[in-house]
């Protein structure tokens, strides 16, 4: 009988988890992929696929039997995300998982300006209380998302002011996660701040996108009231609109301006700059 996989990876159908799963497979490391829909799971050598939602304690517990280290990508944004996380973390602990590596958020705190950062703070506390060893990857906003912030008119709108944000690439977050998963004991009970090498204003972000893409993108600094009005047409629930608006107010606050060298310290390679990222995906 083959040795059962000791690393479980969630989020393998997504951007970060998919990169992690492919990297582990390329290294010949067996893994167990936990997905909501088996038909969407990547087909990778050495990977088992198990269906388990974060909210299904029994399925999660069964899927995690024999797993020593778990890579937990935060769940999709919902009003009850923390409870789904709680169910999954408790299931992991009861299944005997020893170490959990969780994708958190920079400046996660119960009173974080970015409202979803509060979810991450709550989840971190649940994990700390679980009895498992832990590593938190506190990533800043993704470089990969910045072009999507612009509307069809090429305008990025939001109350970010002159605040700065040390954007990080998804590839750097995934590379950091793999380094931790390969030697979880060396990173036990540690939180890493994952950022790029510079902190940019939203105006600078727009300028850099324009320069590389060759079409105009600009930033318009809204007031908080204007931001709520401009997003009202989407008909989203209040918690989601709060998250959208606080994406920008968290930048304005200065909470997301810190630059860390944790990507380089963990992976041994310098974090990607926004210019490098744009050039790589052009």
């Amino acid at each position: 009988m083959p040795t059962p996989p000791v690393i479980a990876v969630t989020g393998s159908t997504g951007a970060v988890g998919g990169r992690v799963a492919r990297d582990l497979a390329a290294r010949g490391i067996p893994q167990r992929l936990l997905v909501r829909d088996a038909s969407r799971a990547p087909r990778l050598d050495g990977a088992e696929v198990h269906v388990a939602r974060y909210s299904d304690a029994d399925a999660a517990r069964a899927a995690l039997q024999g797993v020593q280290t778990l890579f937990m990508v935060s769940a999709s944004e919902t009003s009850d995300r923390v409870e789904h996380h709680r169910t999954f973390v408790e299931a992991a602990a009861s299944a005997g998982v020893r170490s959990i590596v969780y994708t958190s958020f920079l400046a996660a705190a119960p009173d974080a300006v970015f409202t979803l950062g509060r979810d991450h703070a709550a989840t971190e506390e649940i994990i700390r209380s679980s009895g498992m060893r832990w590593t938190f990857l506190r990533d800043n906003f993704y470089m990969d998302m910045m072009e999507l912030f612009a509307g069809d008119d090429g305008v990025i709108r939001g109350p970010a002011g002159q605040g700065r944000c040390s954007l990080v690439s998804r590839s750097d977050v995934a590379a950091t996660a793999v380094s931790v998963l390969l030697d979880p004991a060396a990173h036990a009970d540690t939180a890493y701040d994952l950022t790029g090498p510079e902190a940019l204003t939203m105006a600078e972000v727009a300028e850099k996108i324009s320069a590389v893409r060759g079409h105009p993108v600009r930033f318009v600094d809204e007031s908080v009231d204007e931001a709520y009005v401009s997003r009202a047409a989407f008909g989203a629930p209040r918690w989601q609109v709060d998250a959208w608006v606080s994406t920008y107010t968290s930048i304005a606050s200065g909470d997301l301006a810190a630059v860390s060298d944790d990507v380089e310290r963990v992976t041994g390679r310098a974090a990607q700059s926004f210019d490098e990222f744009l050039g790589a995906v052009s």
Side-chain angles (χ1 to χ4, degrees):
M1 293 290 290
T3 302
V6 296
I7 295 177
V9 174
T10 70
S12 62
T13 61
V16 173
R19 284 178 170 86
V20 169
R22 291 191 296 272
D23 192 333
L24 292 175
R27 297 169 187 264
I29 297 171
Q31 60 186 309
R32 188 172 297 175
L33 306 180
L34 272 61
V35 298
R36 291 176 295 174
D37 181 352
S39 69
R40 295 185 58 221
R43 300 298 183 248
L44 300 172
D45 290 342
E48 297 178 357
V49 176
H50 289 247
V51 176
R53 293 177 177 272
Y54 283 2
S55 58
D56 188 336
D58 291 339
R61 193 177 302 110
L64 292 170
Q65 291 295 324
V67 167
Q68 294 180 12
T69 304
L70 168 63
F71 178 55
M72 179 183 171
V73 176
S74 56
S76 299
E77 298 163 2
T78 60
S79 60
D80 55 355
R81 177 165 63 163
V82 172
E83 290 313 307
H84 291 173
H85 284 177
R86 184 188 306 277
T87 297
F88 187 66
V89 170
E90 291 176 351
S94 65
V97 173
R98 298 176 186 175
S99 300
I100 184 166
V101 181
Y102 172 68
T103 58
S104 186
F105 188 74
L106 189 73
D111 59 350
V113 177
F114 180 48
T115 55
L116 298 182
R118 303 169 192 175
D119 288 359
H120 290 292
T123 301
E124 286 186 2
E125 185 55 38
I126 292 166
I127 292 171
R128 285 193 193 92
S129 301
S130 70
M132 295 181 285
R133 307 302 296 271
W134 51 266
T135 307
F136 300 144
L137 307 181
R138 292 176 175 162
D139 48 84
N140 208 333
F141 288 128
Y142 293 137
M143 295 175 179
D144 312 52
M145 299 301 295
M146 289 300 104
E147 290 185 79
L148 300 179
F149 279 20
D152 293 338
D153 57 358
V155 176
I156 299 174
R157 291 181 173 84
Q162 294 300 308
R164 293 183 175 273
C165 184
S166 51
L167 304 168
V168 68
S169 69
R170 282 170 166 160
S171 61
D172 279 339
V173 172
T176 306
V178 169
S179 294
V180 173
L181 292 169
L182 294 176
D183 190 7
H187 305 278
D189 303 337
T190 303
Y192 292 116
D193 290 343
L194 304 189
T195 77
E198 60 189 346
L200 302 172
T201 66
M202 285 297 99
E204 290 170 342
V205 167
E207 290 169 5
K208 289 177 179 292
I209 294 171
S210 296
V212 172
R213 297 292 179 250
H215 58 78
V217 176
R218 62 190 177 94
F219 170 64
V220 171
D221 184 31
E222 297 179 306
S223 69
V224 171
D225 288 343
E226 287 170 340
Y228 275 97
V229 170
S230 66
R231 288 153 179 79
F234 294 102
R238 176 66 187 220
W239 69 265
Q240 191 167 39
V241 179
D242 288 342
W244 291 343
V245 174
S246 67
T247 296
Y248 294 92
T249 56
S250 63
I251 295 171
S253 74
D255 283 357
L256 306 183
V259 173
S260 165
D261 66 352
D262 283 352
V263 168
E264 184 169 8
R265 289 200 302 117
V266 176
T267 68
R269 73 184 196 201
Q272 215 174 18
S273 70
F274 192 47
D275 288 322
E276 291 168 337
F277 168 80
L278 290 172
V281 298
S282 60

